[in-house]
């Protein structure tokens, strides 16, 4: 079992930056593929970024070149650095973990955090 706890959300203005953190406990963190998702009001949850167990990263087109995902296996943590934030980035951001490589590739994440609110004002 894996427990995930996000932090770092808040209210910022357009153009500002935020750094989200996700602390994991339980299963060996280094074996987990990690991802960030978000859900805006009235919209479906969408995948934002992912980082493989070997460190390779991928991003949704809407955040590419603005967001950076990283992981620190020693601290059992994953981060999402968000720069040049836009009002359309407003959402609840969720950290997620995939127990297998196949699940990570298929974006079928097994464990979820409770979410952290990010609000970007114009």
């Amino acid at each position: 079992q894996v427990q995930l706890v996000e932090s770092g959300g808040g209210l910022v203005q357009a153009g500002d930056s935020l750094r989200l953190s996700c602390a994991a406990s339980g299963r060996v963190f280094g074996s987990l593929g990690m991802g960030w998702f978000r859900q805006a009001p009235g919209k479906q949850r969408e995948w934002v970024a992912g980082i493989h167990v070997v460190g390779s990263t991928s991003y949704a087109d809407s955040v590419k070149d603005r967001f950076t995902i990283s992981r620190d296996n020693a601290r059992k943590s994953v981060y999402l650095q968000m720069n040049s934030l836009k009002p359309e980035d407003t959402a609840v951001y969720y950290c997620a973990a995939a127990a297998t490589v196949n699940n990570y590739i298929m974006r079928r994440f097994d464990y979820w955090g409770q979410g952290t609110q990010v609000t970007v004002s114009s």
Side-chain angles (χ1 to χ4, degrees):
Q1 194 71 9
V2 175
Q3 293 79 43
L4 303 171
V5 179
E6 303 98 333
S7 61
L11 172 62
V12 297
Q13 293 188 330
D16 286 350
S17 298
L18 270 179
R19 188 191 193 212
L20 304 183
S21 299
C22 173
S25 61
R27 181 172 171 158
V28 176
F29 181 76
S31 67
L32 299 170
M34 301 299 297
W36 286 96
F37 289 74
R38 67 186 181 186
Q39 186 167 20
K43 294 187 177 181
Q44 287 191 331
R45 185 172 61 195
E46 64 174 352
W47 174 80
V48 174
I51 185 163
H52 193 270
V53 292
V54 297
S56 56
T57 59
S58 54
Y59 299 92
D61 288 343
S62 59
V63 306
K64 200 172 293 184
D65 299 326
R66 297 190 298 123
F67 290 10
T68 303
I69 188 171
S70 61
R71 65 189 298 158
D72 185 335
N73 289 343
R75 296 180 183 271
K76 295 185 178 181
S77 294
V78 64
Y79 308 99
L80 187 67
Q81 177 66 43
M82 305 185 294
N83 298 330
S84 302
L85 282 162
K86 305 175 181 180
E88 50 263 44
D89 294 318
T90 295
V92 177
Y93 283 71
Y94 297 91
C95 173
T100 67
V101 172
N102 188 63
N103 282 4
Y104 173 80
I105 292 171
M106 299 299 292
R107 296 179 188 168
R108 289 199 300 255
F109 286 74
D110 302 284
Y111 306 102
W112 295 85
Q114 82 289 348
T116 186
Q117 177 71 47
V118 172
T119 303
V120 184
S121 63
S122 57

